[in-house]
């Protein structure tokens, strides 16, 4: 414990306090010896970084609970499934920087439930760099992260319906099983064009 505290730049008393609060996982024990490793050191450094960014210990404890109860990266990304999206690996500090002041336990749970975020050890994985960039841009423009996530859930429902329409259309009129993958750019172009036209109508005040 003394070695770990020294490596993290904190006192043994502070480390014990973090242990009692459940902020640091218990060590691996061999008889009377307690072994700490890089995972524990990474957690302590994360706590220090979040404290420096203004998070409280209660808030950090809530975030830790949310992360530990979230789905892991393999479950969310369905590793091996085809995708055009680029996952992004983040530390908790980097996630906090993307959404300054908005990474609350409630928003974190909502993002985990949507499948936007997954956990991989001490790291966080966002399923899509494009979604991450758009979400953080909207927050910078003043849109609350909770509203962004709620809108994301509604978009997900419509996107699933559009994907079902496209795959059913191809299943009806084509034979090759790989046609959906090969022709997916056509589906994306149709959706992008229709959304652009819909935005034009909204901006002109027509429907």
């Amino acid at each position: 414990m003394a070695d770990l505290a020294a490596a993290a730049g904190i006192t043994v008393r502070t480390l014990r306090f973090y242990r009692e609060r459940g902020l640091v996982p218990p060590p691996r024990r061999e008889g009377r010896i307690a072994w700490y490793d890089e995972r524990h050191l990474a957690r302590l450094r994360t706590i220090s970084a979040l404290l420096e960014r203004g998070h409280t210990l209660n808030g950090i404890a809530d975030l830790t609970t949310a992360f530990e109860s979230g789905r892991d990266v393999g479950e969310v990304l369905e590793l091996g499934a085809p995708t055009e999206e680029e996952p992004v690996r983040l530390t908790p500090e980097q996630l906090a920087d993307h959404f300054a002041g908005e990474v609350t336990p409630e928003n974190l749970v909502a993002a985990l439930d949507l499948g936007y975020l997954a956990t991989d050890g001490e790291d966080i994985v966002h399923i899509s760099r494009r979604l991450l960039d758009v979400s953080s841009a909207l927050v910078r423009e003043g849109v609350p992260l909770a509203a962004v996530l709620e809108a994301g859930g509604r978009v997900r429902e419509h996107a699933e319906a559009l994907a079902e329409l496209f795959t059913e259309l191809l299943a009806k009129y084509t034979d090759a099983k790989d046609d959906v993958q090969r022709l997916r750019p056509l589906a994306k172009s149709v959706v992008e064009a229709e959304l652009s036209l819909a935005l034009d109508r909204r901006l002109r005040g027509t429907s």
Side-chain angles (χ1 to χ4, degrees), residues 32-62:
R32 300 177 62 181
I33 301 176
W35 293 100
Y36 293 91
D37 56 26
E38 290 297 324
R39 182 171 59 107
H40 296 90
L41 182 58
R43 176 64 63 86
L44 290 173
R45 287 173 174 166
T46 292
I47 293 170
S48 296
L50 291 176
L51 286 172
E52 289 177 0
R53 286 163 170 77
H55 292 264
T56 66
L57 284 177
N58 285 337
I60 294 172
D62 290 340

Side-chain angles (χ1 to χ4, degrees):
M1 183 176 283
D3 292 341
L4 176 64
I10 61 175
T11 65
V12 172
R13 182 178 180 182
T14 298
L15 177 53
R16 286 199 180 99
F17 177 69
Y18 289 166
R19 281 280 315 277
E20 292 168 359
R21 292 290 300 272
L23 294 171
V24 178
R28 177 175 58 86
R29 292 194 174 274
E30 292 183 3
R32 300 177 62 181
I33 301 176
W35 293 100
Y36 293 91
D37 56 26
E38 290 297 324
R39 182 171 59 107
H40 296 90
L41 182 58
R43 176 64 63 86
L44 290 173
R45 287 173 174 166
T46 292
I47 293 170
S48 296
L50 291 176
L51 286 172
E52 289 177 0
R53 286 163 170 77
H55 292 264
T56 66
L57 284 177
N58 285 337
I60 294 172
D62 290 340
L63 293 176
T64 299
T65 300
F67 279 128
E68 291 178 347
S69 63
R71 292 179 292 172
D72 65 37
V73 64
E75 179 183 358
V76 171
L77 296 180
E78 297 181 5
L79 299 180
T83 181
E84 295 180 350
E85 297 306 309
E86 177 190 356
V88 184
R89 185 174 293 273
L90 303 162
T91 64
E93 305 96 291
Q94 290 170 331
L95 182 66
D97 287 342
H98 273 285
F99 304 101
E102 296 277 340
V103 183
T104 64
E106 294 77 14
N107 286 338
L108 185 58
V109 169
L112 289 165
D113 287 343
L114 271 173
Y116 283 179
L117 297 180
T119 57
D120 186 18
E122 290 293 320
D123 288 341
I124 307 157
V125 177
H126 196 292
I127 62 168
S128 166
R129 181 174 295 279
R130 288 193 293 183
L131 285 175
L132 175 63
D133 291 344
V134 170
S135 298
S136 58
L138 287 171
V139 170
R140 287 195 299 271
E141 292 293 332
V143 182
L145 181 56
V148 172
L149 293 171
E150 182 181 359
R154 295 174 61 187
V155 170
R156 172 77 57 81
E157 294 176 4
H158 293 295
E160 290 287 349
L162 290 168
E164 181 179 6
L165 186 155
F166 180 70
T167 53
E168 288 181 350
L169 179 69
L170 288 183
K172 184 175 181 180
Y173 293 106
T174 65
D175 297 323
K177 292 183 179 180
D178 64 347
D179 277 347
V180 173
Q181 179 68 12
R182 181 172 58 84
L183 299 177
R184 63 189 294 172
L186 300 181
K188 291 164 57 180
S189 294
V190 170
V191 172
E192 183 177 351
E194 285 290 356
L195 178 58
S196 178
L197 291 170
L199 287 170
D200 290 344
R201 290 191 292 270
R202 289 284 179 177
L203 292 172
R204 291 197 301 267
T206 60
S207 58

